[in-house]
Amino acid sequence: MSGEQASTRVDIWIWSVRLTRTRSIASDACRGGHVRVNGVRVKPAHVVRAGDEIRLRHEGRERIVVVSRIITKRVGAPVAAECYVDKSPPPPPREEAVMVAVRARGAGRPTKRERRSIDRLLGRPLAEGRDRRPRPE
């Protein structure tokens, strides 16, 4: 068997052509409703055939690809690129990405010092009464 068939599972194909890093990520995307084949949400076991349009919402952007070749084994990037036609919109420029302050889950509210550093990072002006002035003696 050469690894090529007339059809394969959608999660295997998405992983094989390197749209996701792992097969479990591809399966989770299907279960979460982030994968559509020809406009219909599908489960990981859905059969994909040449000519199908696959929409995958992953890592903050939507990938739209048309299947041109079915593969079941993960292949190198140059070979994987030949297995689909990419119709995705270009990714947004990095400048437009909004910076978000990230805190560890369960770390509670930020301290005054952390809040000020977050405000500085995001370029927010200091709020009234929160600026540092020397105390009168």
Side-chain angles (χ1 to χ4, degrees), residues 95-112:
E95 297 84 39
E96 289 185 19
V98 178
M99 289 183 58
V100 178
V102 179
R103 292 185 52 79
R105 186 178 178 107
R109 293 175 57 175
T111 63
K112 185 185 281 190

Side-chain angles (χ1 to χ4, degrees), residues 6 25 32 37-38 43 49 71 76 103 118:
I25 292 173
V37 176
N38 298 325
K43 293 182 178 180
R49 293 181 176 82
I71 59 172
R103 292 185 52 79
I118 290 169

Side-chain angles (χ1 to χ4, degrees), residues 1-5 7-21 23 69-81 83-84:
M1 188 181 274
S2 66
E4 288 189 70
Q5 298 174 351
S7 62
T8 188
R9 294 170 43 134
V10 69
D11 62 333
I12 295 172
W13 189 84
I14 288 172
W15 167 74
S16 297
V17 297
R18 299 178 170 266
L19 293 178
T20 60
R21 283 180 293 144
R23 185 169 162 204
R69 193 170 116 201
I70 300 296
I71 59 172
T72 57
K73 302 275 187 191
R74 191 161 169 98
V75 293
V79 177
C83 296
Y84 61 87

Side-chain angles (χ1 to χ4, degrees), residues 6-8 10 13 36-39 46-55 64-70 83-85:
S7 62
T8 188
V10 69
W13 189 84
R36 292 177 180 265
V37 176
N38 298 325
H46 182 82
V47 176
V48 175
R49 293 181 176 82
D52 285 348
E53 179 188 75
I54 298 178
R55 291 175 176 259
I64 303 168
V65 296
V66 176
V67 179
S68 60
R69 193 170 116 201
I70 300 296
C83 296
Y84 61 87
V85 178

Side-chain angles (χ1 to χ4, degrees), residues 27-47:
S27 295
D28 290 344
C30 292
R31 280 191 218 97
H34 301 293
V35 177
R36 292 177 180 265
V37 176
N38 298 325
V40 179
R41 285 185 180 171
V42 294
K43 293 182 178 180
H46 182 82
V47 176

Side-chain angles (χ1 to χ4, degrees), residues 85-137:
V85 178
D86 195 355
K87 296 187 173 187
S88 306
R94 289 197 178 266
E95 297 84 39
E96 289 185 19
V98 178
M99 289 183 58
V100 178
V102 179
R103 292 185 52 79
R105 186 178 178 107
R109 293 175 57 175
T111 63
K112 185 185 281 190
R113 182 179 191 174
E114 290 171 336
R115 189 182 65 237
R116 286 180 177 156
S117 67
I118 290 169
D119 287 346
R120 261 187 254 109
L121 175 71
L122 297 176
R124 294 181 186 154
L126 291 173
E128 196 66 34
R130 287 191 354 192
D131 55 350
R132 285 197 150 179
R133 290 187 217 138
R135 289 186 182 173
E137 292 185 34

